[in-house]
Amino acid sequence: MSVFAAFVLFLMTGSLVPVNRQFRQTPGGVPIFVVSNGFHTDVVLPLREAQTGHNWLLALQQPALTARFRHYPYVAFGWGNEGFYLGSMGGKFPGPKAIAGALFPSRTLMHVDFYRAAPDSGRHVVPLRISPGQYRLLTAYVQQSFQPDSLGQWQLRQPVGYTPEDFFFRARGRYHALRTCNDWTNQGLRRAGVRAALKAPLAGSVLYQIRQTR
């Protein structure tokens, strides 16, 4: 019981401890957004970014997606448990098996969602401006999260998502109670030098720290 209590205390207090406290937004920098549905967080990035020359359609290497989404301005990325993601299809809430399975090391997917416009500002959206160097670090982190096949291409796992504009790719890494979807988002921000939490198991943990930026 004492070990469990210490574990819960670590998770909760880690949310309040900032990393990269010195981070300041870059005027005229690359626009990114952290979005949440209350439980899960994604990072929304420019589909094509002029300052760094990065083009996510080229990185995805999916001609069908390029043809459909080449005029979209933004794309969102999230990482999470395969069973939970696929168990949520059709507006369903994942069953007990999927929920229990997410507590232990399990397979993961990358969720890719194309945006017709920048996310609306609101309680669950935090806009940021970061430097081109920080953006390169963030894009490298996202790219390293995809699981390539034997030819080095990212593997499309599920060609149909929750809407006609989102898809699932195979991902690296295992999901478990100490490595959640929100930890993935938080870790990406940390590596890019953006203010983040020491530990962020919950969506609120991620949003709380980045809202402290100036």
Side-chain angles (χ1 to χ4, degrees), residues 85-130:
Y85 267 142
L86 300 184
S88 304
M89 300 291 288
K92 298 182 296 184
F93 192 81
K97 183 177 179 180
I99 295 172
L103 298 175
F104 303 97
S106 47
R107 290 184 297 186
T108 54
L109 297 175
M110 288 293 293
H111 184 222
V112 179
D113 190 0
F114 292 90
Y115 277 52
R116 295 177 181 269
D120 292 333
S121 59
R123 187 163 62 95
H124 295 305
V125 177
V126 180
L128 295 169
R129 289 274 182 173
I130 63 177

Side-chain angles (χ1 to χ4, degrees), residues 12-186:
M12 295 302 101
T13 57
S15 300
L16 301 176
V17 179
V19 179
N20 301 326
R21 188 194 299 263
Q22 77 288 351
F23 168 76
R24 298 293 183 271
Q25 297 198 52
T26 301
V30 180
I32 71 167
F33 305 82
V34 179
V35 301
S36 169
N37 61 7
F39 300 97
H40 171 89
T41 50
D42 288 341
V43 289
V44 181
L45 309 176
L47 189 64
R48 299 180 184 83
E49 205 294 298
Q51 297 184 64
T52 61
H54 192 275
N55 185 333
W56 281 109
L57 288 175
L58 293 179
L60 289 170
Q61 298 183 44
Q62 296 288 329
L65 299 187
T66 299
R68 289 177 59 187
F69 300 109
R70 63 182 182 275
H71 296 306
Y72 281 53
Y74 291 96
V75 59
F77 297 96
W79 177 95
N81 175 266
E82 180 180 66
F84 206 92
Y85 267 142
L86 300 184
S88 304
M89 300 291 288
K92 298 182 296 184
F93 192 81
K97 183 177 179 180
I99 295 172
L103 298 175
F104 303 97
S106 47
R107 290 184 297 186
T108 54
L109 297 175
M110 288 293 293
H111 184 222
V112 179
D113 190 0
F114 292 90
Y115 277 52
R116 295 177 181 269
D120 292 333
S121 59
R123 187 163 62 95
H124 295 305
V125 177
V126 180
L128 295 169
R129 289 274 182 173
I130 63 177
S131 71
Q134 290 167 334
Y135 186 72
R136 290 188 183 95
L137 292 172
L138 182 57
T139 56
Y141 173 81
V142 173
Q143 290 181 132
Q144 290 162 7
S145 299
F146 284 84
Q147 177 64 59
D149 61 19
S150 59
L151 299 177
Q153 295 184 328
W154 298 344
Q155 305 173 68
L156 186 62
R157 167 65 174 81
Q158 184 80 7
V160 178
Y162 305 123
T163 73
E165 298 173 319
D166 68 292
F167 307 87
F168 292 102
F169 287 75
R170 296 194 182 278
R172 297 180 189 266
R174 294 285 175 171
Y175 188 104
H176 51 80
L178 291 176
R179 175 62 168 164
T180 69
C181 52
N182 299 306
D183 278 313
W184 178 85
T185 303
N186 189 69

